[in-house]
Amino acid sequence: MVQKYQSPVRVYKHPFELIMAAYERRFPTCPLIPMFVDSDTVNEFRSEDGAIHVIERRCKLDIDAPRLLKKIAGVDYVYFVQKNSLNSRERTLHIEAHNETFSNRVIINEHCCYTVHPENEDWTCFEQSASLDIKSFFGFESTVEKIAMKQYTSNIKKGKEIIEYYLRQLEEEGITFVPRWTPPSITPSSETSVSCGKQAAALAVAVPEAALKEGPSSEALSNASGAPEPVATTPDDKLDADYIKRYLGDLTPLQESCLIRLRQWLQETHKGKIPKDEHILRFLRARDFNIDKARETMCQSLTWRKQHQVDYILDTWTPPQVLQDYYAGGWHHHDKDGRPLYVLRLGQMDTKGLVRALGEEALLRYVLSINEEGLRRCEENTKVFGRPISSWTCLVDLEGLNMRHLWRPGVKALLRIIEVVEANYPETLGRLLILRAPRVFPVLWTLVSPFIDDNTRRKFLIYAGNDYQGPGGLLDYIDKEVIPDFLGGECMCEVPEGGLVPKSLYRTAEELENEDLKLWTETIYQSASVFKGAPHEILIQIVDASSVITWDFDVCKGDIVFNIYHSKRSPQPPKKDSLGAHSITSPGGNNVQLIDRVWQLGRDYSMVESPLICREGESVQGSHVTRWPGFYILQWKFHSMPACAATLPRVDDVLASLQVPSHKCKVMYYTEVIGSEDFRGSMTSLESSHSGFSQLSAATTSSSQSHSSSMISRWRFC
């Protein structure tokens, strides 16, 4: 497996030329890096005007590895080749390095870049990226990988310290300013010589002419050794090391790299505003900084947020009055660490009455609004306290908890809420203080604890009776001035006291079912399952020709083929026969088939768009300008590779087919019919276009059919 590293942007508040003077003092050897034994100059080139200086060194390293491993490998030192390309005109230094020793077994590539700060020309920026690929190493591949990563991360930490050390050394010698490069006086002959010098440099050291002209914004310097090239992005797209420390906390170099790489992936696959860095970091922490796992869970969460429009819940949803009166929970100042403090008097809350009066969905939505408010308060407290605060503390008072709280539907609702919160708000709970736990609490804990993540469970502190008043109790985590009055403190707590919900507010099961349906069908999206041999189809009736059918759908699972058909007559409504052949209901969504099996393509209905193959994880938007009135059928059909093909199937297709169990796909879709006079050739009319938080795009393609003026854009979101 290839290990990759990408650093944040590290800023030196010194001019580029002074940083270069400090950097050169690292050679031929550096006492601050014990493993850096020596270096020899192999090749060197300097242009006639002095603007371009390229030097190639062979560096000798003493790797801190077990003696046995060195003996097996048969080497005492490891050699690297480093090429530095300095462009004094553009004030950039590109550093490329690769291993010479064991290059057929281990491939190590590194690229570093010093550039001028985009907003302050007297500051210098530094970026670093590297990759490690161990093909084979005498059966010690895992050991070598750990040693290499350990050595590399330790040197990363020292990098800035070394530059600052030599800057102090220069200052002690009275060198605090190094003049910038200035071109020599230009004459016709000198212009020719400079031009020739550039061509010679390009041939000698493979520096492209564009790099000499454009500097840091041009394409990366070519790398014959295959080192990763710098990405040409704007400064706003990058993370500054000081910003990470100020707003995200102290991260190890590898943790910084994971954050930057996942953030970069989002930038490349996202349309609009990307998730906040704190949000990305939470998913990484929840998965121990495993990028693949974090990306998978985050994409699922983003799809969920998009489907239920959670981004707008604080602005568009008002909790029912019953919740405002009887839900015994609310925000109350902050703890000693600056985390927002949420107080929940669970023992005083009539969970059965709330479920009977409101239903499970209303409670869930209210909890989601609490979590969204918590995220907002974390951002505010980060600014107020001047340090990163990404989670909150929850204080749960169980005084009054009894068997009534173990009512089965109430426990079921609680478990579902825990499941949703765990999946979509990871690492938001900094600490959970459970106070005055009664004897019945172990029963509730036995039911609930299996659904709580191990990392979250470790944040629980449980106090029985009045133990919270003693040493190691509440005063260790919350200032005395903000301890609620009902816990013996002096601070008046405005959290509702709860109490029994009047039975006059209870609703019947039918009313609750309709209400729950109403709550979650407020989303403009619908879910559907697609099976092999059982496509999902929807019917759209068009009265006026030249109307525009628009669609927006996400392929959540499997690969599908999207088709659009037209018929002059309406298909028969789906009938649920004993086998459920025409209408299937599944937990993942409905499956409806409209095209009768006796219908023939070309006689009973016709295809008006070319079939569009959509891969798992893609989101597709498009439109079709209708030519005739009648009935249009949008179809999502299971896609499988042909049994016989002239060419071998792609590896991605084979893997995808193996990963889809039971020949089942899932889509989440939204359709809308727009009058031609209201359509402007863009998809801004679709509400999904406004959900910038969760729309990701890796690629955008457009298709214009001569007969339908159709536009299709697609992007990858998970």
Side-chain angles (χ1 to χ4, degrees):
M1 179 178 178
V2 179
Q3 296 286 346
K4 295 183 178 181
Y5 171 79
Q6 174 63 56
S7 76
V9 179
R10 307 191 187 278
V11 179
Y12 298 94
K13 296 183 179 180
H14 299 278
F16 176 81
E17 289 72 21
L18 190 62
I19 295 296
M20 291 300 97
Y23 174 79
E24 284 300 321
R25 296 203 169 199
R26 297 177 53 172
F27 302 99
T29 186
C30 179
L32 298 179
I33 309 179
M35 64 178 293
F36 186 23
V37 178
D38 195 10
S39 64
D40 298 319
T41 299
V42 179
N43 292 308
E44 186 171 5
F45 166 82
R46 190 185 296 272
S47 63
E48 293 187 11
D49 62 358
I52 306 297
H53 182 203
V54 181
I55 184 169
E56 189 172 335
R57 296 183 177 94
R58 188 170 184 260
C59 302
K60 182 179 180 181
L61 306 181
D62 184 9
I63 302 297
D64 183 15
R67 193 174 189 85
L68 177 62
L69 184 60
K70 287 186 176 182
K71 189 173 182 180
I72 293 175
V75 297
D76 291 323
Y77 300 101
V78 175
Y79 291 89
F80 275 73
V81 175
Q82 183 190 74
K83 182 174 71 175
N84 293 359
S85 303
L86 174 65
N87 188 329
S88 298
R89 179 186 294 106
E90 301 294 343
R91 304 177 74 193
T92 63
L93 172 66
H94 290 277
I95 305 168
E96 299 169 355
H98 65 276
N99 62 307
E100 184 180 82
T101 307
F102 299 119
S103 58
N104 60 331
R105 295 178 178 271
V106 180
I107 301 174
I108 302 175
N109 290 313
E110 181 185 48
H111 185 277
C112 306
C113 182
Y114 288 89
T115 59
V116 177
H117 193 282
E119 298 177 0
N120 190 330
E121 62 179 11
D122 290 328
W123 291 359
T124 305
C125 296
F126 172 77
E127 288 185 82
Q128 183 177 10
S129 62
S131 63
L132 167 67
D133 186 9
I134 301 177
K135 303 295 185 182
S136 64
F137 203 85
F138 312 107
F140 292 92
E141 291 80 11
S142 178
T143 302
V144 171
E145 180 179 305
K146 291 179 181 178
I147 292 174
M149 297 303 294
K150 180 180 177 181
Q151 295 279 336
Y152 194 73
T153 52
S154 64
N155 289 334
I156 291 171
K157 293 180 180 179
K158 293 180 180 178
K160 190 171 183 178
E161 299 175 3
I162 294 171
I163 293 294
E164 292 175 345
Y165 169 81
Y166 286 119
L167 285 172
R168 289 192 297 270
Q169 193 178 86
L170 288 169
E171 185 178 0
E172 292 171 358
E173 298 174 7
I175 303 174
T176 58
F177 174 77
V178 176
R180 297 185 185 180
W181 174 88
T182 55
S185 57
I186 302 298
T187 63
S189 59
S190 62
E191 288 180 359
T192 303
S193 63
V194 171
S195 175
C196 294
K198 287 184 181 179
Q199 295 177 7
L203 294 173
V205 297
V207 179
E209 185 72 14
L212 301 179
K213 292 181 179 179
E214 300 178 9
S217 62
S218 66
E219 295 183 359
L221 299 179
S222 64
N223 181 8
S225 63
E229 298 179 348
V231 180
T233 54
T234 62
D236 292 338
D237 293 336
K238 300 179 181 179
L239 288 181
D240 182 276
D242 294 334
Y243 161 82
I244 291 177
K245 186 174 183 179
R246 166 66 177 82
Y247 292 99
L248 303 179
D250 292 322
L251 303 178
T252 67
L254 292 182
Q255 289 173 345
E256 289 178 340
S257 175
C258 290
L259 172 62
I260 292 168
R261 288 165 55 199
L262 184 53
R263 187 178 187 269
Q264 184 177 354
W265 178 82
L266 286 170
Q267 289 173 334
E268 294 172 353
T269 60
H270 174 64
K271 189 179 183 68
K273 179 182 176 184
I274 70 169
K276 295 181 179 179
D277 299 322
E278 299 90 333
H279 190 75
I280 301 173
L281 189 57
R282 288 186 183 102
F283 280 92
L284 283 169
R285 282 176 170 152
R287 296 296 177 266
D288 295 325
F289 286 87
N290 183 309
I291 289 184
D292 293 333
K293 292 181 179 179
R295 178 168 52 199
E296 179 182 358
T297 55
M298 186 171 64
C299 286
Q300 292 172 354
S301 177
L302 295 179
T303 303
W304 171 83
R305 294 184 72 93
K306 176 181 178 180
Q307 181 176 10
H308 300 300
Q309 305 202 12
V310 179
D311 297 330
Y312 312 111
I313 192 170
L314 292 179
D315 300 324
T316 61
W317 187 70
T318 301
Q321 191 62 42
V322 177
L323 278 173
Q324 299 180 39
D325 294 339
Y326 295 98
Y327 190 91
W331 294 99
H332 179 76
H333 299 282
H334 55 80
D335 67 5
K336 287 187 174 181
D337 296 323
R339 296 190 185 104
L341 177 62
Y342 189 83
V343 175
L344 178 64
R345 303 186 68 178
L346 184 59
Q348 304 298 317
M349 192 159 62
D350 182 8
T351 53
K352 179 178 181 179
L354 289 174
V355 173
R356 291 289 301 274
L358 296 169
E360 182 179 324
E361 299 298 337
L363 282 176
L364 174 57
R365 177 161 290 198
Y366 190 56
V367 173
L368 297 183
S369 69
I370 293 172
N371 280 270
E372 290 297 307
E373 175 67 17
L375 296 178
R376 187 184 65 80
R377 287 175 178 261
C378 285
E379 293 181 21
E380 292 179 354
N381 286 18
T382 296
K383 298 175 183 177
V384 171
F385 293 98
R387 61 177 182 271
I389 295 173
S390 60
S391 59
W392 52 82
T393 294
C394 186
L395 188 156
V396 181
D397 179 23
L398 297 183
E399 177 72 12
L401 189 76
N402 53 44
M403 294 302 294
R404 179 183 177 87
H405 292 85
L406 300 181
W407 181 58
R408 184 181 180 117
V411 173
K412 175 176 171 286
L414 177 61
L415 294 179
R416 186 187 172 200
I417 289 172
I418 291 175
E419 182 182 8
V420 172
V421 171
E422 283 279 311
N424 299 286
Y425 299 93
E427 296 298 312
T428 53
L429 182 64
R431 185 180 293 117
L432 180 65
L433 303 171
I434 300 177
L435 309 184
R436 303 196 283 192
R439 292 184 178 181
V440 73
F441 174 72
V443 180
L444 179 62
W445 179 249
T446 301
L447 295 173
V448 171
S449 59
F451 296 88
I452 301 175
D453 181 76
D454 290 339
N455 292 334
T456 304
R457 210 180 307 170
R458 285 193 286 266
K459 301 171 184 177
F460 284 32
L461 296 173
I462 304 173
Y463 300 90
N466 294 324
D467 292 348
Y468 69 92
Q469 297 176 347
L474 205 55
L475 284 174
D476 286 8
Y477 306 103
I478 301 175
D479 290 326
K480 181 179 179 180
E481 294 76 16
V482 300
I483 293 180
D485 53 338
F486 62 84
L487 293 175
E490 301 175 356
C491 186
M492 292 297 296
C493 185
E494 298 180 356
V495 172
E497 295 183 0
L500 295 177
V501 178
K503 291 187 177 181
S504 60
L505 298 177
Y506 285 12
R507 300 187 184 184
T508 64
E510 291 76 13
E511 290 175 332
L512 289 176
E513 183 178 355
N514 293 334
E515 182 68 17
D516 289 349
L517 184 63
K518 177 183 176 182
L519 280 171
W520 286 116
T521 52
E522 288 175 3
T523 172
I524 60 176
Y525 294 91
Q526 300 183 53
S527 297
S529 297
V530 178
F531 303 91
K532 189 172 185 179
H536 178 70
E537 298 163 343
I538 62 173
L539 181 67
I540 298 176
Q541 183 176 3
I542 298 296
V543 177
D544 299 324
S546 299
S547 296
V548 181
I549 301 174
T550 63
W551 57 83
D552 175 11
F553 64 86
D554 298 333
V555 185
C556 302
K557 183 178 181 181
D559 297 345
I560 59 100
V561 180
F562 179 63
N563 292 301
I564 304 178
Y565 300 104
H566 172 263
S567 176
K568 294 181 180 179
R569 59 192 179 100
S570 173
Q572 293 297 321
K575 297 180 181 179
K576 292 186 178 180
D577 52 27
S578 58
L579 298 177
H582 294 282
S583 182
I584 303 173
T585 301
S586 71
N590 293 326
N591 176 276
V592 177
Q593 299 165 55
L594 299 171
I595 300 177
D596 198 294
R597 294 176 182 175
V598 300
W599 278 22
Q600 293 184 10
L601 183 63
R603 184 191 69 183
D604 301 291
Y605 65 106
S606 59
M607 181 180 293
V608 296
E609 288 275 8
S610 299
L612 178 66
I613 298 176
C614 307
R615 304 294 180 183
E616 178 177 333
E618 286 186 345
S619 184
V620 179
Q621 284 185 339
S623 63
H624 172 81
V625 180
T626 62
R627 297 181 60 184
W628 315 280
F631 300 91
Y632 287 81
I633 300 173
L634 275 59
Q635 180 191 76
W636 290 269
K637 184 179 179 181
F638 184 89
H639 173 65
S640 57
M641 293 185 300
C644 299
T647 59
L648 291 175
R650 296 186 304 116
V651 175
D652 291 345
D653 291 334
V654 177
L655 293 177
S657 65
L658 295 175
Q659 292 172 354
V660 180
S662 305
H663 303 290
K664 179 180 177 181
C665 303
K666 292 182 181 180
V667 294
M668 186 176 72
Y669 66 91
Y670 166 74
T671 62
E672 181 182 2
V673 178
I674 303 174
S676 58
E677 66 278 2
D678 299 324
F679 188 72
R680 299 292 181 267
S682 70
M683 301 311 297
T684 55
S685 61
L686 288 179
E687 287 191 34
S688 61
S689 298
H690 300 296
S691 181
F693 183 85
S694 59
Q695 290 181 1
L696 311 177
S697 77
T700 300
T701 61
S702 297
S703 174
S704 298
Q705 306 293 336
S706 58
H707 64 283
S708 63
S709 301
S710 173
M711 298 186 310
I712 298 175
S713 63
R714 50 204 311 202
W715 54 86
R716 186 168 299 278
F717 71 97
C718 57

